[in-house]
Amino acid sequence: MQLDRILQSQGFGSRKQCRAMIRHGQVAIDNATCADPFAEFAPEGLHFSVDGEPWQYREHAYVMLHKPQGYECSRAPKHHPSIFSLLPEPLVGREVQPVGRLDEDTTGLLLLTDDGQFIHALTSPKRKVPKVYAVSTKHPVDDAQLATLRRGVQLHDEPAPIAAANCEQIAERLIHLTLIEGKYHQVKRMVAAAGNRVEALRRIAIGGLTLPDDLAEGEWRWLEPADLERLWQAADA
Ligand code: URA
């Protein structure tokens, strides 16, 4: 594949922009500058650098982001900065999308990819991929509320009651709630329908993949092949 096409596929701009970057000597392969936009390389696994920043060719981009509070999962945010401002330009350039959005005030694990099939597989309620939320509540959680969440609550605009796939009390005002759907404000609405109120919400796992302790708020990282395998398995189960 031609170097200009490789760069374009990885989100570095239009072909014209990529050719210009290459001709300006901004691109290196194996630490040697390559100024020929038409030089051919096998893309799979190719390591290259742009302005000294190392990259690896990836057919699709799959990343996790530790979403902080006060960021919107939108490209055109209305009231807060966008989560896309936390990602490097080429990831935004290749149009990664969130795999299920989080509210502006929700923190935690957010996956992003440019693989539409992956997004569909992980978000379709039919695939039953579990998403685990740590829910801090305003009032102490009682047994009746836990039972209600497990049995199912009727949400406005939903045809049938929705139950938590799992619901565990961790502390007086902290539960871990597992959902297989991703409906609008689902956790907040379910907890409200059970007679309590969400004070803080954090997604801690998706399909068996947990938010790593060493990924600070606002940081992102590539998903490892083992992470992807686990997620695809969760969607196939
Ligand atoms: N449920 C909510 O209410 N908000 C989120 O951000 C995610 C799930």
Side-chain angles (χ1 to χ4, degrees), residues 112-189:
L112 296 112
T113 182
D114 57 357
D115 180 350
Q117 277 190 335
F118 183 79
I119 295 179
H120 182 73
L122 267 89
T123 54
S124 163
K126 285 188 199 140
R127 304 290 195 107
K128 298 190 167 63
V129 176
K131 291 105 190 165
V132 187
Y133 295 88
V135 188
S136 303
T137 57
K138 184 171 169 67
H139 310 290
V141 180
D142 61 30
D143 288 346
Q145 291 170 3
L146 292 172
T148 303
L149 289 166
R150 289 185 187 125
R151 196 172 50 238
V153 291
Q154 183 63 54
L155 299 180
H156 186 60
D157 281 351
E158 292 300 330
I162 300 181
N166 197 18
C167 181
E168 255 183 278
Q169 184 149 20
I170 308 297
E172 195 186 39
R173 291 161 205 255
L174 177 65
I175 56 174
H176 284 181
L177 195 67
T178 305
L179 303 181
I180 53 166
E181 312 86 351
K183 297 189 186 296
Y184 182 67
H185 291 338
Q186 188 174 342
V187 174
K188 291 174 186 162
R189 290 159 71 209

Side-chain angles (χ1 to χ4, degrees), residues 44-91:
E44 214 39 64
L46 184 75
H47 290 265
F48 59 97
S49 67
V50 179
D51 295 328
E53 180 90 16
W55 291 92
Q56 188 188 335
Y57 174 89
R58 290 176 161 94
E59 190 183 348
H60 284 298
Y62 304 93
V63 302
M64 63 167 89
L65 172 72
H66 186 162
K67 182 190 174 294
Q69 247 193 352
Y71 283 80
E72 290 182 30
C73 286
S74 161
R75 279 176 187 270
K78 294 207 174 79
H79 306 292
H80 300 274
S82 164
I83 51 152
F84 291 101
S85 66
L86 300 168
L87 299 176
E89 272 289 314
L91 278 180

